[in-house]
Amino acid sequence: MDRVTHDLLAQGHITQEQIERLHRVGVKDDTLLETLTKVGAVSVNFVKRFVVEQIRAGHYDVAIIKQYHFLDAASVMQYLAEVMEFQYLDLDSIDMDYRLTDRIPLSQLKRFQAIPIKENDLSVTVAFVDPLDIEAQEALQRLYPRKPLDIAVATEKQIQAYLFKVELKDSVKELVVNIRKELNSIGAETKDQAQASSIVQLIDVILKACIKSRASDIHIEPTENNCTVRARVDGKLSEVFIFDKDIYPPLSSRLKILANLDIAERRKPQDGRFSTDVGGREYDFRFSTLPIMYGESIVMRILDKEKALIRLEDAGMDAEGYKKLHTALKTPYGIILVTGPTGSGKTTTLYGALNELRSVEEKVITVEDPVEYRMNLIQQVQVRASVGLSFADALRSILRQDPDKIMIGEIRDQETLEIAVKAALTGHLVISTLHTNDAISSIPRMVDMGIEPYLISGSLVAIQAQRLIRKICPHCKTEEQLPASVTDKYKEYLPEGTVFYKGEGCRECNGAGYMGREMISEVLPISDELSSMIAQSASKDDMIEQALKEGFEPMFANGMKKVVSGVSTIEEILRVVKT
């Protein structure tokens, strides 16, 4: 029996009879306390208060919280801080002054599980996992002899995460020192800053670290005290590097030169791109700046050229959906739409479709803003609004270029959609993207944009809606028991005997439990019946009913197939798709 359960029993908060009853139905000792809270023998809040009182009295160590996964560590620590009249800090919501960590050896901070947060004229605020560790407080006080410590409380998980960031910061400390030396020796000229060799090495380190972690985007953001580098991995942002604020100007200037932008212009957004070799492979980077409070937010989209050559069936489409889309791509003329929010993999799907379409015998032209991947046998047009070349202008010219297939990066306005429909009605196959939540919503959206229903019915061939879901990490994948309330709610999608999995979180997936992403989709071929309903302005509900009769599989059902096959979790599907 675990210690907390033993002490609750000894103090009469639970009974031996309750424990024996659970033992008889097969509950093991390691889940006994959690089960007691589920059956109502004792509340989670009472257990939390009991544990905090025992920590405060010195009977338990703070580390005991880790043994009980059902106790939310943040709420326990928050309650402990409240009881002991300390400040509780959510480190993710604070712009920490990382210069304070330079005064203390990292090994000391790791040993005492503490991190300095901020300094004012009167004190230094230090966050501890264990606010009762007097030895740790005295040791850190000696390192800040002139100011008293202001003790704060934070969770162990957050403090370890931020100490890891300090470790990463220390790993490039030598480069940062060299950058400062070069800046001092060459003066404050912006262009000279950008040409310094150490800043080039630092950029190389940033790009390698982000690409190694499978990032899709790199965000470089100046704050009041720091310069942070964050990477978007599997749709979620996480901090990779944190530098002092003085590193930001030469870093941003050098990146702007790479992207061929004006380094002196900091008041207006700018867009560009550059290519470079990282780890023996060439990558393209789509580059964007946006003026913000403390400088410019820089975002670089990583464009891996090999991803442009991905086949549709390798993108995660199930066999039935692929078959429907493949059949639509063989149509000689009409419009095929790929819909979904930003970052849902629409561009990858379009390029996968282009791979299927391109051949020496046919002329394929694309209009894109910007051109993300360069492909052979395809004529790609870059939209340039600054010189009057909009999507609509480019499309008008394209139709005089004798194309067979046309790809439009995005339909943004009525004029572009109008020309696309006319192109489809005059013998061209047009594929493009539209921002809607599901496939069927594209039809009323096109009507809202000013296209007559009879023109839509005559031109539309198929619509695909898609999202990206995170896949369970294969390195820490383990079976999971879901509550009956969840399995009963979705039983129509879950065959009997379905085994559920989750990722425990490991070093390979940085504790996320997920690694990599895969597409879920719904493909709606426009049949003669649906075409007739569109022309007659039928309601969305009637069209969905007809589509389901024809074998249409909604995206949620497609996502639940990924759960049944052990690729992802119900939690992830519900995060991405509405039921």
Side-chain angles (χ1 to χ4, degrees), residues 62-221:
V62 171
I64 198 168
I65 298 167
K66 288 193 290 186
Q67 297 174 28
Y68 301 94
H69 299 296
F70 68 96
L71 290 177
D72 178 38
S75 68
V76 175
M77 296 304 289
Q78 200 164 354
Y79 184 61
L80 177 64
E82 188 183 317
V83 166
M84 300 193 65
E85 298 183 350
F86 287 129
Q87 183 184 6
Y88 173 78
L89 294 177
D90 174 8
L91 301 188
D92 291 336
S93 64
I94 296 169
D95 186 21
M96 202 180 300
D97 188 352
Y98 282 87
R99 288 170 298 185
L100 292 171
T101 60
D102 293 339
R103 305 185 207 171
I104 309 173
L106 183 61
S107 57
Q108 290 269 71
L109 292 175
K110 283 183 174 179
R111 180 186 162 199
F112 296 127
Q113 294 193 91
I115 189 166
I117 305 296
K118 59 185 177 183
E119 181 179 23
N120 58 31
D121 293 339
L122 299 174
S123 62
V124 177
T125 302
V126 181
F128 290 86
V129 172
D130 185 356
L132 295 168
D133 189 342
I134 304 302
E135 183 196 349
Q137 291 173 26
E138 287 177 349
L140 292 183
Q141 183 65 78
R142 285 194 291 273
L143 296 166
Y144 295 104
R146 297 186 180 183
K147 292 181 181 177
L149 296 188
D150 184 6
I151 308 299
V153 179
T155 64
E156 182 180 357
K157 185 178 178 182
Q158 280 196 332
I159 286 182
Q160 285 183 349
Y162 279 82
L163 288 177
F164 178 66
K165 290 170 189 175
V166 172
E167 194 170 359
L168 281 174
K169 181 173 175 277
D170 285 354
S171 69
V172 291
K173 189 181 276 184
E174 196 175 328
L175 268 179
V176 170
V177 169
N178 289 340
I179 289 167
R180 290 195 177 112
K181 282 179 184 172
E182 287 172 358
L183 292 181
N184 291 332
S185 64
I186 61 182
E189 294 269 338
T190 312
K191 189 146 186 169
D192 287 342
Q193 288 180 16
Q195 297 294 355
S197 63
S198 296
I199 206 75
V200 176
Q201 290 176 47
L202 183 63
I203 289 170
D204 191 49
V205 168
I206 291 169
L207 297 184
K208 277 180 180 170
C210 292
I211 287 170
K212 189 180 178 185
S213 66
R214 303 176 294 106
S216 60
D217 301 84
I218 303 170
H219 294 239
I220 300 173
E221 300 151 336

Side-chain angles (χ1 to χ4, degrees), residues 206-221 228-241 255 271-272 274 283-289 297-304 307 341-345 347-348 370 372-373 468 517:
I206 291 169
L207 297 184
K208 277 180 180 170
C210 292
I211 287 170
K212 189 180 178 185
S213 66
R214 303 176 294 106
S216 60
D217 301 84
I218 303 170
H219 294 239
I220 300 173
E221 300 151 336
T228 64
V229 178
R230 298 195 289 168
R232 189 177 293 281
V233 180
D234 296 337
K236 298 278 187 181
L237 280 170
S238 60
E239 276 182 348
V240 183
F241 291 104
L255 285 168
D271 294 303
F274 64 92
Y283 290 85
D284 283 344
F285 295 86
R286 197 173 81 195
F287 189 92
S288 169
T289 71
S297 169
I298 293 172
V299 177
M300 294 182 282
R301 167 67 57 88
I302 301 169
L303 304 171
D304 185 351
K307 285 185 182 174
T342 304
S344 60
T347 304
T348 303
E372 293 204 1
Y373 301 103
L468 292 177
R517 290 191 291 176

Side-chain angles (χ1 to χ4, degrees), residues 220 298 315 364 375 393 479 576:
I220 300 173
I298 293 172
V364 181
M375 299 178 77
D393 296 323
E479 282 190 26
V576 172

